[in-house]
Amino acid sequence: VNDSYGHGTGDQLIRAVAAGLKVLIPQGAVLARIGGDEFAIAFLSDGENAAALQLSEQILDFLVEPLEIGRRVVVVGASIGIAMSPAGAIDREELVRRSDLAMYKAKEAGRARMTLYDPSMDADREQRNALELDLRIAIESGDLTLAYQPLVDAGTHALTGVEALVRWNRPGHGPVSPELFIPIAETSGLIESLGLFVLRKACETAKQWPELNVSVNVSPGQFRNPAFTDYVRYVLKQTEIEASRITLEITEGYMIQNPQRTRQSIERLKGLGVKVALDDFGSGFSSIGYLRQFGFDRIKIDRSLVMGVNEDKRQREMLQATVALARSLDIPVTAEGIETEGQAVAMRLFGCDCLQGYLFGKPLTAERITEMLDE
Ligand code: C2E
Ligand code: CA
Ligand code: CA
Ligand code: CA
C-alpha cells in the first residue's frame, strides 16, 4: 500500500484497507498482513494467472477511491506482485519471495501497477544488490567525485556559477550514470550519506571560487528528511561558506505530493541564507500557479523542453509562455541543456538570465573551472 500523501501507515488506514480487501477476495482465500503496509493474499486457482490479475485489478480499482479515515480523506494506492505455484511445486517461502520481487518491480514501474513474477527478476535483483553494495563501499571510502558544469550569464556568456554533479567510477565497470545510482541510493537509505558528501564537497570546493554561485542537487529522499535543514546548517558552519552562494536544486515530484511540508522546508532553508531552485521545470506536472507560494529563488527549465525550441512551433510557444509566467512572478529562469547557438539566442530572447549546457561546457573537474576563471 502506498500512502502517497505521506500521512503514514497508521493503524486506522491499514484497518480500512484490510476491510476493503476482505470484501474483495474470493472465498477460501487467505488475507494476511505481512508487516508495515504490506499484505499477502493466497488462493487456489485453476492454474492460470487470469484470476490473480483480475483480483489485482479489482484491488487497484477499490484503492482508487479516497478512503475516509476519521475526519481525513486519504488517497492510497497499491503495487501488486503476483507469483504462481503450479501444482503446488513451489514452497510457500519461495512463493512469497517471488511475489515480493514482482511487487518491487511493480513499484519501480510507477504507481498502481501489478506485475507477474518472471525468473529474469532474480538476475536483475542480484545485479542491483551488487551495485548497491559497491555504491555503499564507494560512499564509505570516499570514491565518489564531483564534476562542475558551467552556468553562464545569458547576455555576456560569462561564467557566473557551476552545478555540482556527482560522479562514480565503479571499479571493474567504469562510470555509472547518476540517473541509475541515485534512485538506488534513495531506496537503499544511502542517499543521506551520499547527499551529505556532495553538499560538503561542493561547499568546500566553492571556497576557492568566491565569485561563483554553486548549485547542489537535493533528491526527494534528502528533502523529505525533517533533519535536512540541520544537515545544511551544519555543513555551512563547518565549511564556513557564504550561504547565499549556495543554491539547492529540488525537483517537483515531491513538492506536488507534499505542498505543505515543501513550503515549510523551503522557508527553513531560506532562513539559513541559501537559495532554493526548482529543477527540471516543465518535465512533469507542475502547474505554474503553484510556484508563487513556494518562494523559489530560481526556476530551471528542463532540457527536454529546451531541446525542441527551434524545431517545433507549438513547443516554442509553450516554452515562451512558461518563461514569461515565471518572469511575471519575478522568478529568474535558467535554461538547461543548451547545445546550440540557436537555442541560446532563443532562450535569452524569452527572458532566461542564465544558461547551462554543453555549448558552454560539459561537467568539468574543479581544476578546469579554476583555469577557466584564470583565463
Ligand atoms: P540534472 O540536475 O537535470 O542535471 C543536468 C544533467 O544534464 C546532467 O547529467 C548534465 O550532465 C546533463 N546536461 C547538461 N547540459 C547538457 C546538454 O547540453 N546536453 C545534454 N545531453 N545533457 C546535458 P548527469 O550529470 O548525468 O546527471 C543526471 C541527473 O542525476 C541530474 O539531472 C540530477 O537529477 C541527478 N544528479 C546528479 N548529481 C547529483 C547529486 O549530486 N545529487 C542528486 N541528488 N542528484 C544528482
Ligand atoms: Ca509502502
Ligand atoms: Ca540539477
Ligand atoms: Ca535539471
Side-chain angles (χ1 to χ4, degrees):
V1 177
N2 309 318
D3 170 12
S4 60
Y5 283 76
H7 291 314
T9 49
D11 269 349
Q12 273 184 309
L13 173 62
I14 292 300
R15 258 183 271 131
V17 171
L21 292 178
K22 258 188 212 154
V23 175
L24 289 172
I25 58 174
Q27 265 213 330
V30 177
L31 169 69
R33 180 174 170 194
I34 293 192
D37 60 356
E38 294 188 3
F39 292 92
I41 296 167
F43 65 99
L44 284 169
S45 78
D46 55 5
E48 301 291 326
N49 48 36
L53 287 169
Q54 194 189 0
L55 177 60
S56 301
E57 217 156 49
Q58 284 166 348
I59 292 171
L60 292 176
D61 281 348
F62 153 67
L63 288 174
V64 160
E65 301 295 324
L67 290 170
E68 248 176 81
I69 311 288
R71 296 205 331 262
R72 248 193 339 215
V73 176
V74 179
V75 180
V76 296
S79 303
I80 301 176
I82 302 165
M84 305 265 294
S85 173
I90 291 153
D91 72 34
R92 252 180 297 176
E93 260 155 53
E94 176 63 9
L95 199 55
V96 170
R97 192 192 68 82
R98 290 184 178 187
S99 52
D100 193 48
L101 204 51
M103 182 198 70
Y104 273 99
K105 281 284 164 190
K107 248 186 197 172
E108 276 172 19
R111 297 161 40 77
R113 300 287 174 106
M114 52 194 190
T115 305
L116 288 162
Y117 167 82
D118 83 70
S120 75
M121 289 176 182
D122 287 307
D124 280 7
R125 170 52 65 101
E126 252 166 56
Q127 272 181 18
R128 200 189 153 98
N129 285 348
L131 193 82
E132 186 186 315
L133 184 66
D134 281 358
L135 181 60
R136 190 178 296 274
I137 293 168
I139 294 170
E140 276 165 13
S141 50
D143 282 348
L144 298 179
T145 56
L146 293 187
Y148 300 88
Q149 187 174 29
L151 298 165
V152 305
D153 180 274
T156 64
H157 295 183
L159 187 66
T160 56
V162 289
E163 175 175 359
L165 295 159
V166 67
R167 292 291 176 262
W168 178 29
N169 197 352
R170 187 180 178 200
H173 293 263
V176 184
S177 162
E179 296 194 78
L180 188 74
F181 70 79
I182 295 282
I184 291 176
E186 289 254 345
T187 53
S188 59
L190 292 171
I191 194 66
E192 202 168 281
S193 46
L194 187 154
L196 198 56
F197 164 82
V198 170
L199 185 64
R200 184 181 287 138
K201 184 88 188 165
C203 287
E204 269 167 13
T205 311
K207 281 208 289 191
Q208 349 160 24
W209 307 319
E211 59 273 69
L212 295 185
N213 231 287
V214 176
S215 294
V216 179
N217 292 286
V218 174
S219 73
Q222 291 173 271
F223 196 70
R224 196 177 292 131
N225 185 344
F228 179 61
T229 325
D230 298 323
Y231 282 116
V232 176
R233 185 187 294 114
Y234 170 68
V235 172
L236 290 174
K237 195 166 173 233
Q238 197 182 35
T239 56
E240 298 178 308
I241 187 82
E242 218 180 303
S244 62
R245 287 210 288 122
I246 303 297
T247 301
L248 301 176
E249 297 190 359
I250 68 170
T251 50
E252 61 197 4
Y254 174 79
M255 175 185 117
I256 302 285
Q257 289 175 9
N258 304 275
Q260 192 72 31
R261 286 195 212 175
T262 302
R263 201 173 309 122
Q264 287 166 356
S265 303
I266 291 176
E267 230 161 75
R268 266 185 275 136
L269 288 170
K270 290 177 73 168
L272 300 177
V274 297
K275 303 253 171 11
V276 182
L278 176 60
D279 202 359
D280 299 344
F281 185 71
S283 64
F285 13 50
S286 47
S287 103
I288 196 115
Y290 242 167
L291 283 180
R292 190 201 309 267
Q293 60 176 352
F294 290 110
F296 285 110
D297 296 295
R298 176 168 289 280
I299 292 171
K300 295 186 77 171
I301 304 275
D302 194 57
R303 181 165 66 91
S304 60
L305 271 158
V306 173
M307 245 162 30
V309 64
N310 288 318
E311 272 134 51
D312 185 308
K313 181 158 174 284
R314 280 202 45 205
Q315 194 157 4
R316 186 184 172 90
E317 281 164 3
M318 224 183 68
L319 192 59
Q320 192 166 9
T322 307
V323 180
L325 260 158
R327 301 290 302 123
S328 76
L329 298 173
D330 274 330
I331 307 175
V333 183
T334 299
E336 58 177 33
I338 303 277
E339 293 184 355
T340 66
E341 282 292 347
Q343 289 166 341
V345 170
M347 294 315 291
R348 179 183 180 213
L349 201 71
F350 293 169
C352 293
D353 68 324
C354 180
L355 305 176
Q356 174 182 9
Y358 292 171
L359 180 67
F360 306 105
K362 293 201 167 177
L364 305 166
T365 61
E367 291 72 36
R368 265 304 288 147
I369 297 293
T370 305
E371 281 169 23
M372 281 174 81
L373 286 169
D374 291 341
E375 273 162 18

